[in-house]
Amino acid sequence: MAQDKKAEQEFFSALVARGCYHVLSPRGFRVLLGHFLAALPPGARRVGEGGSGSGGFTAYLAGAGFQVAALDLSFPCLRHSRRAGPGPVTGSGWSICGDVEHLPFSDGSLDALVFSGVLHHLPALEPALAEAYRVLKPGGLLYSYDPNNRNPFFWLLRSPTSPFFSRRGRTVNERTLDPRLLTAALRQAGFRGGAEAVCGVSFGDQHYDPLFRPLVLLYNLLEPFPRWVGKEKEWGAFLLGRGCKPAPSSGPAPAGAPG
């Protein structure tokens, strides 16, 4: 099944037309940045970001000193990102209207590639992961974050098997990801590493859909629950994928990358 790219463009272009829209809170972005930095190979400077949206995580990458190439299907989202800054507007990078399944980067040109909440919008992971492998330098890092289908909150609202499942506020392409599926897909693409869930990634306190605002507050309150019961790596709300493209003389994976 192919991704309905027009539906993605229309959905997110409509969101950003209403004003600034970042799904996650500043704390959530900082947690994601910390995990990214912990897994990064030494000396990495040039970073691609697929699914950059309105520039929420782009700003944190640029603020950490990386040269960022931000990529998104929606031109209005990229335009908003350029206006909002810091990000590419500071001169630390640039933005490109494009598709993660057909990355506009040369072979082996990036130190790291971030898929910012985009993999769960793809019916099949293989094309995007193959492209990620192609554009990364040997030893480069692929880093992704997406909702975890083993998290109780996301299962309740986003799983078709839940009695409370709703398609409201989502595109026709969306799903949650299973850690075993993502780990298997990463390794099949040639990466060393895998996927594990984390806690600490909270949502912003504003939401484009008023129906979801009380649920966001409830989610942020209960988000640490998997950590409280010792199940963070299994039930944490966000699934991190971390894959290292092996260097010719294959050594150990970067620090922080799951084996």
Side-chain angles (χ1 to χ4, degrees):
M1 180 187 295
Q3 183 192 43
D4 185 340
K5 299 185 188 301
K6 184 179 179 182
E8 294 291 312
Q9 290 171 320
E10 291 176 348
F11 182 86
F12 287 101
S13 296
L15 285 187
V16 81
R18 303 178 199 173
C20 181
Y21 172 60
H22 298 322
V23 175
L24 302 177
S25 68
R27 175 176 175 267
F29 283 126
R30 287 194 297 268
V31 168
L32 291 173
L33 180 66
H35 285 290
F36 173 72
L37 296 176
L40 203 63
R45 302 304 306 158
R46 194 176 186 207
V47 178
E49 184 192 7
S52 59
S54 54
F57 196 49
T58 315
Y60 285 85
L61 292 170
F66 296 105
Q67 185 183 38
V68 186
L71 178 83
D72 200 88
L73 277 173
S74 166
F75 179 75
C77 281
L78 293 172
R79 182 172 55 198
H80 175 86
S81 176
R82 287 196 294 266
R83 290 174 177 171
V89 77
T90 64
S92 61
W94 60 99
S95 55
I96 308 164
C97 193
D99 177 7
V100 296
E101 295 183 316
H102 303 91
L103 292 170
F105 306 121
S106 302
D107 295 2
S109 60
L110 298 178
D111 298 310
L113 177 66
V114 178
F115 282 148
S116 287
V118 71
L119 290 180
H120 73 284
H121 288 262
L122 300 173
L125 300 179
E126 291 80 5
L129 295 183
E131 278 289 270
Y133 193 90
R134 177 184 66 80
V135 303
L136 284 168
K137 296 176 180 178
L141 172 71
L142 172 62
Y143 178 80
S144 65
Y145 59 89
D146 293 274
N148 176 20
N149 73 355
R150 305 192 76 183
N151 174 261
F153 186 90
F154 281 125
W155 176 85
L156 200 64
L157 294 181
R158 291 310 194 199
S159 172
T161 62
S162 165
F164 298 99
F165 172 69
S166 171
R167 291 197 175 276
R168 182 167 178 156
R170 57 183 285 166
T171 76
V172 297
N173 299 296
E174 280 189 65
R175 57 177 173 150
T176 50
L177 287 185
D178 183 273
R180 294 163 296 188
L181 173 69
L182 181 53
T183 294
L186 284 167
R187 293 178 180 174
Q188 185 177 1
F191 290 101
R192 290 183 291 113
E196 66 181 24
V198 298
C199 291
V201 184
S202 53
F203 281 101
D205 57 6
Q206 297 297 317
H207 199 281
Y208 63 88
D209 189 332
L211 175 68
F212 282 98
R213 288 173 187 162
L215 294 175
V216 166
L217 295 175
L218 181 62
Y219 164 87
N220 286 342
L221 181 66
L222 298 178
E223 189 274 334
F225 172 75
R227 182 178 291 163
W228 298 338
V229 297
K231 292 283 189 177
E232 177 177 3
K233 292 185 178 182
E234 183 180 356
W235 293 350
F238 274 79
L239 191 62
L240 302 187
R242 287 169 288 192
C244 173
K245 179 176 177 176
S249 55
S250 185

